[in-house]
Amino acid sequence: MKLVTFLKADAEKIGAVMADGRILDFAAAEPRLAVDMLTLIRRQDELMPLARALTAAPPAQTLLDPGTARLLAPIPRPVSMRDGYAFRQHVATARRNRGLDMIPQFDLFPVTYFTNHLAVTGPGEVQVQDHHLTRLDFELEVAIVTGRPLKNATLEEADDAIFGYLVMNDWSARMLQMEEMKLSLGPCKGKDFATSLGPWLVTKDELDLEKTPAGELLHARMTCEVNGHRLSDGNADSMNWTFAQILQRTSYGIQMHPGEVIGSGTVGTGCLLELNGSKVTDNLWLKAGDEVVLEIEGLGRLVNTITHVPERLVGMPPHLVGGTLPDLYAGTPSGPAGD
């Protein structure tokens, strides 16, 4: 199923996208499904059979024209959100563009960092302020949502715990990111203003997943267009670490819960930082009014527009929100700049 969260008459609801594009309003068809997406995931053994039965034979009066509802992020308030670093092409290229060798630890273990699960957006506008617009970037990623508790998981348990997949845009304010990472922390302020998810959450049964000894692998083309121009083209199957491996390491010694989002990291060619450094693009960064379209085969098209929001704290010293950035691709005093 393609599960969505949407606004209808100022009420947040969940449902499923049908083959003809109409949205099945779960709550209108079945009172027991008048829940949010997180509850549906947590109570999937009880509620998903009801949802599947409805999608097989949807009552006509519960089907909405997509133009009458506004899609939100499929899971607007995930329990947590981490982002990974799983595509070697992106990591190696971004480092080479800064004159750095490939880091050998990449092949030893998968890594993730926590990002802001309370700044999730869906399709539509992404609001940014002045300092975000200084070298604003997209990042083309695939993400998973957990559906089962995990702790010290085997690869098989990790794969079984994945509820579904979705498109993720890990927006990056590169000036803020690089300045902050000189202090060996971050990339918090460079990332925490927005992460876009959507347009829907696709359950695993709809996807082309190959079983491998390292875990399941998604075969899906990944592209990005900015203002109608194709900039990025990759495939989810080029991940050097599977989501099962990422979840196995992430769950080591901790309890994970249903409703956590984990991103793959940027696919090769999947951001302007990499493309500019490779001279594919010439100092191109996102600006107000730009339309960014991420598309992943089987997962849909996530369409966002950059919207500038005026500064509220006009007298705030600039160095408190981002200083100068003489060389984006240079290493920093504390080590190489981030990706």
Side-chain angles (χ1 to χ4, degrees):
M1 282 191 291
K2 295 180 175 68
L3 299 170
V4 291
T5 298
F6 62 95
L7 277 182
K8 175 71 173 176
D10 295 325
E12 183 179 304
K13 298 185 174 186
I14 65 169
V17 177
M18 308 305 294
D20 62 4
R22 290 183 295 174
I23 297 172
L24 170 60
D25 182 345
F26 283 166
E30 169 55 69
R32 287 174 289 180
L33 290 175
V35 297
D36 62 10
M37 190 67 73
L38 191 54
T39 301
L40 179 70
I41 293 169
R42 286 170 169 162
R43 295 168 54 191
Q44 62 174 291
D45 292 337
E46 168 195 357
L47 298 180
M48 284 298 289
L50 299 176
R52 292 187 188 282
L54 284 173
T55 58
Q61 69 276 14
T62 66
L63 293 171
L64 305 175
D65 186 288
T68 66
R70 180 165 74 88
L71 290 185
L72 306 176
I75 180 165
R77 293 167 295 279
V79 172
S80 76
M81 189 158 57
R82 296 174 177 86
D83 200 14
Y85 207 40
F87 290 95
R88 170 181 275 276
Q89 179 184 345
H90 167 70
V91 178
T93 304
R95 291 179 66 83
R96 185 175 64 248
N97 291 344
R98 300 194 305 274
L100 302 170
D101 293 333
M102 181 58 180
I103 187 167
Q105 286 82 0
F106 178 89
D107 297 309
L108 299 180
F109 49 85
V111 292
T112 61
Y113 68 91
F114 279 105
T115 190
N116 190 356
H117 67 293
L118 299 178
V120 170
T121 79
E125 71 173 13
V126 175
Q127 297 185 350
V128 296
Q129 295 179 205
D130 291 351
H131 290 280
H132 301 130
L133 281 168
T134 306
R135 293 169 175 164
L136 179 63
D137 205 351
F138 66 88
E139 289 192 4
L140 171 57
E141 307 193 18
V142 59
I144 57 100
V145 178
T146 58
R148 304 285 183 188
L150 284 176
K151 185 173 183 178
N152 298 318
T154 66
L155 293 177
E156 292 77 13
E157 290 168 340
D159 272 330
D160 289 343
I162 297 173
F163 180 83
Y165 288 70
L166 70 174
V167 183
M168 175 171 169
N169 193 331
D170 177 30
W171 302 100
S172 299
R174 296 300 188 187
M175 184 192 76
L176 294 179
Q177 177 187 357
M178 299 306 175
E179 285 295 301
E180 187 170 49
M181 292 183 74
K182 292 177 181 178
L183 298 173
S184 298
L185 286 177
C188 181
K189 291 310 299 176
K191 304 277 191 175
D192 70 355
F193 58 99
T195 302
S196 296
L197 302 173
W200 37 71
L201 171 59
V202 182
T203 54
K204 285 177 59 176
D205 55 295
E206 288 207 13
L207 300 173
D208 175 22
L209 296 170
E210 177 188 356
K211 291 188 179 298
T212 77
E216 293 175 344
L217 193 61
L218 174 66
H219 297 281
R221 189 180 183 187
M222 305 172 64
T223 61
C224 174
E225 293 185 354
V226 176
N227 299 329
H229 299 287
R230 175 71 53 83
L231 295 180
S232 306
D233 198 338
N235 199 295
D237 61 15
S238 63
M239 289 176 67
N240 294 83
W241 295 104
T242 67
F243 279 113
Q245 291 171 316
I246 293 170
L247 284 171
Q248 184 176 62
R249 178 173 170 85
T250 303
S251 70
Y252 174 73
I254 67 165
Q255 182 66 59
M256 297 188 68
H257 300 272
E260 300 196 43
V261 172
I262 296 93
S264 62
T266 308
V267 70
T269 75
C271 70
L272 293 172
L273 176 70
E274 179 184 338
L275 295 170
N276 285 334
S278 300
K279 309 304 181 186
V280 176
T281 49
D282 182 14
N283 198 33
L284 177 66
W285 303 103
L286 300 176
K287 61 186 184 302
D290 283 350
E291 181 186 72
V292 181
V293 180
L294 305 190
E295 184 168 5
I296 301 181
E297 184 181 8
L299 302 185
R301 300 172 76 248
L302 176 58
V303 183
N304 294 108
T305 302
I306 304 300
T307 301
H308 175 246
V309 178
E311 295 291 329
R312 178 171 179 263
L313 302 176
V314 293
M316 187 174 182
H319 66 268
L320 293 182
V321 288
T324 60
L325 191 66
D327 186 354
L328 184 64
Y329 304 109
T332 68
S334 58
D339 303 322

